[in-house]
Amino acid sequence: MQLHDFDIDVFLRDHWQKKPLLIKNAWPSWDNPITPDELAGLACEPQIESRLIAETDGTWNVENGPLPETRFGELGPKDWTLLVQATDHYVPEVAALIEPFRFIPNWRIDDVMVSYAADGGGVGPHYDQYDVFLIQGLGKRRWQVGQICNADTPMLPGGDLRQLAEFEPTDEWILEPGDILYVPPRIPHNGTAIGNDCMTYSVGFRAPSRAELIADYCDDLLEHLDSDDRYGDPDLQPQSNPGEISAQAIDRLHAILTEKMNDREYFARWFGQYNSTRKYPDMDWAPEKQLQPGEVHSMLANGTPLLRNPASRFSFIRHDGNSVSLFADGDCYTCTDEAGYLAEQICAHGAITISPEMLESDPVAALITKLYNKGSLAFEQPG
């Protein structure tokens, strides 16, 4: 699916991480992928992250899910919003909304959050640290954006909504079903529902911070370092002042820290696994029945397509020669030849049919078996 009258090159040049963009009538034919009742049902599930946000006389109240079914009957006709995170994990039609944005690399994609708002509902003026495409699904919403924020921007105290203490809008639009507003990181925005049955789909992207990368990378390094690998100075020479830490000692100590951290190949493997870890890693998507390579081969021979789990994250790194490292849900698979080609196809497409030429490849069957048994891939069920 492609967006209507949307130039990817112009967007990346002029807007991506630079300034907002309104895309009117972006879909050739818009079909809202989930109903308000279905969204409310997801918010009642214990494994799904959801929030109910209501405003009363300037006071904001946040309730974290799961929500009891009776809660929705208690709500008034105005000024509340339901947010359901990672709806794409559970509703394939919502997951399909990501496809037009795959000109952004997979490793940058986070999830699709869906909101339902009553008249006047919203979460207040705030800013995010990531890019987002705001797709209007039902009803109307007024969006306002302002000047770029930073760490010194005054924020309201308390809460997890990250609301601005002051907000001066510079632009304003009213979005209708099928419209999209792109908002770069740190651009404040405020969305308010106009009328009832307002639904918005937020396609969000990840941007790891320097602090997050350093912390997680160092944690991984510590797990693999040998406690016997210590500082040594067998060529020690007398020095005039024993209190001095010499330049030679600093160089050697600095090298102890940086040699492993500067190992690019090690870092690449770590990042692929770190970045491909599922948003909710504690959730078990493995099938009840594990398959053997022979069973996988039989299903492939019948032409049964393979589907990526919408909750799974796939990416790969190409190496010299004909090998690639496939990263799927925090694991790394070294793939060559036909398996390497398959790895690239899995990353590029949500559904794959294995060609007859690849059916004879044992590494292909072995790779698919591992991914299936972990729940990263599934076989399409006949409709």
Side-chain angles (χ1 to χ4, degrees):
M1 180 185 296
Q2 293 183 338
L3 301 180
H4 175 66
D5 195 24
F6 178 73
D7 191 312
I8 292 174
D9 293 331
V10 171
F11 170 78
L12 293 176
R13 184 192 67 200
D14 297 341
H15 293 274
W16 176 252
Q17 303 217 317
K18 302 176 187 71
K19 59 183 180 180
L21 175 66
L22 174 66
I23 311 169
K24 291 291 292 182
N25 301 314
W27 307 87
S29 58
W30 173 253
D31 186 16
N32 190 53
I34 184 173
T35 68
D37 286 344
E38 290 170 336
L39 187 70
L42 291 178
C44 299
E45 297 292 334
Q47 78 277 14
I48 297 179
E49 183 182 357
S50 62
R51 290 177 293 168
L52 181 64
I53 301 170
E55 180 192 10
T56 304
D57 298 327
T59 299
W60 294 84
N61 181 60
V62 180
E63 299 177 46
N64 292 312
L67 301 171
E69 292 184 21
T70 55
R71 184 68 182 95
F72 297 102
E74 301 167 353
L75 297 170
K78 291 174 63 83
D79 302 333
W80 61 267
T81 296
L82 173 67
L83 305 177
V84 179
Q85 205 73 43
T87 309
D88 54 303
H89 289 21
Y90 312 100
V91 183
E93 292 80 5
V94 173
L97 297 179
I98 299 175
E99 294 307 311
F101 306 105
R102 295 242 182 234
F103 59 89
I104 309 299
N106 284 353
W107 72 266
R108 292 280 265 115
I109 295 172
D110 189 7
D111 70 344
V112 182
M113 181 185 74
V114 183
S115 71
Y116 174 88
D119 185 30
V123 299
H126 65 286
Y127 74 94
D128 302 309
Q129 296 286 4
Y130 50 82
D131 306 84
V132 63
F133 289 93
L134 301 163
I135 306 168
Q136 191 63 23
L138 285 178
K140 296 181 181 181
R141 186 182 289 272
R142 175 183 291 106
W143 283 105
Q144 299 170 314
V145 300
Q147 298 288 350
I148 193 167
C149 296
N150 56 40
D152 297 325
T153 300
M155 309 294 290
L156 292 179
D160 60 354
L161 297 179
R162 292 186 53 80
Q163 293 171 324
L164 303 179
E166 301 175 358
F167 177 60
E168 292 291 337
T170 57
D171 289 288
E172 177 177 306
W173 305 276
I174 294 178
L175 269 65
E176 299 180 296
D179 294 343
I180 300 175
L181 177 64
Y182 163 72
V183 182
R186 297 187 291 123
I187 294 292
H189 46 288
N190 183 33
T192 306
I194 301 175
N196 291 317
D197 288 339
C198 174
M199 293 188 71
T200 301
Y201 299 80
S202 302
V203 181
F205 294 80
R206 293 183 289 166
S209 70
R210 190 192 304 266
E212 291 170 337
L213 290 175
I214 291 175
D216 284 273
Y217 186 43
C218 288
D219 285 345
D220 184 81
L221 285 173
L222 289 172
E223 293 182 11
H224 297 90
L225 293 179
D226 185 348
S227 61
D228 292 333
D229 185 11
R230 294 177 177 268
Y231 177 83
D233 47 8
D235 54 351
L236 182 65
Q237 300 294 317
Q239 57 187 56
S240 59
N241 188 330
E244 179 186 5
I245 304 175
S246 68
Q248 292 84 357
I250 291 295
D251 289 343
R252 186 167 288 175
L253 289 164
H254 186 253
I256 288 176
L257 293 181
T258 58
E259 281 175 358
K260 193 63 178 178
M261 293 189 73
N262 286 335
D263 185 335
R264 190 179 185 281
E265 184 175 344
Y266 185 97
F267 174 83
R269 181 185 177 94
W270 165 80
F271 181 74
Q273 293 177 281
Y274 162 81
N275 185 77
S276 66
T277 300
R278 288 172 179 160
K279 186 177 183 70
Y280 303 107
D282 293 336
M283 292 189 63
D284 185 8
W285 294 87
E288 294 183 5
K289 181 182 182 300
Q290 300 280 288
L291 295 183
Q292 298 299 318
E295 297 172 285
V296 168
H297 187 276
S298 297
M299 296 189 73
L300 295 174
N302 291 334
T304 307
L306 285 167
L307 301 178
R308 278 196 323 229
N309 181 349
S312 294
R313 289 171 168 168
F314 288 89
S315 57
F316 72 91
I317 294 176
R318 200 186 311 277
H319 303 291
D320 294 337
N322 64 343
S323 70
V324 300
S325 291
L326 172 66
F327 302 100
D329 297 328
D331 288 334
C332 177
Y333 306 89
T334 300
C335 307
T336 59
D337 302 323
E338 292 91 348
Y341 175 78
L342 174 63
E344 295 187 29
Q345 294 303 301
I346 291 173
C347 291
H349 305 288
I352 307 161
T353 300
I354 304 301
S355 66
E357 295 77 17
M358 297 180 66
L359 286 177
E360 303 304 319
S361 171
D362 291 336
V364 165
L367 176 62
I368 293 174
T369 302
K370 292 175 183 177
L371 294 172
Y372 174 87
N373 287 337
K374 189 171 181 180
S376 303
L377 290 180
F379 285 102
E380 184 177 35
Q381 298 301 315

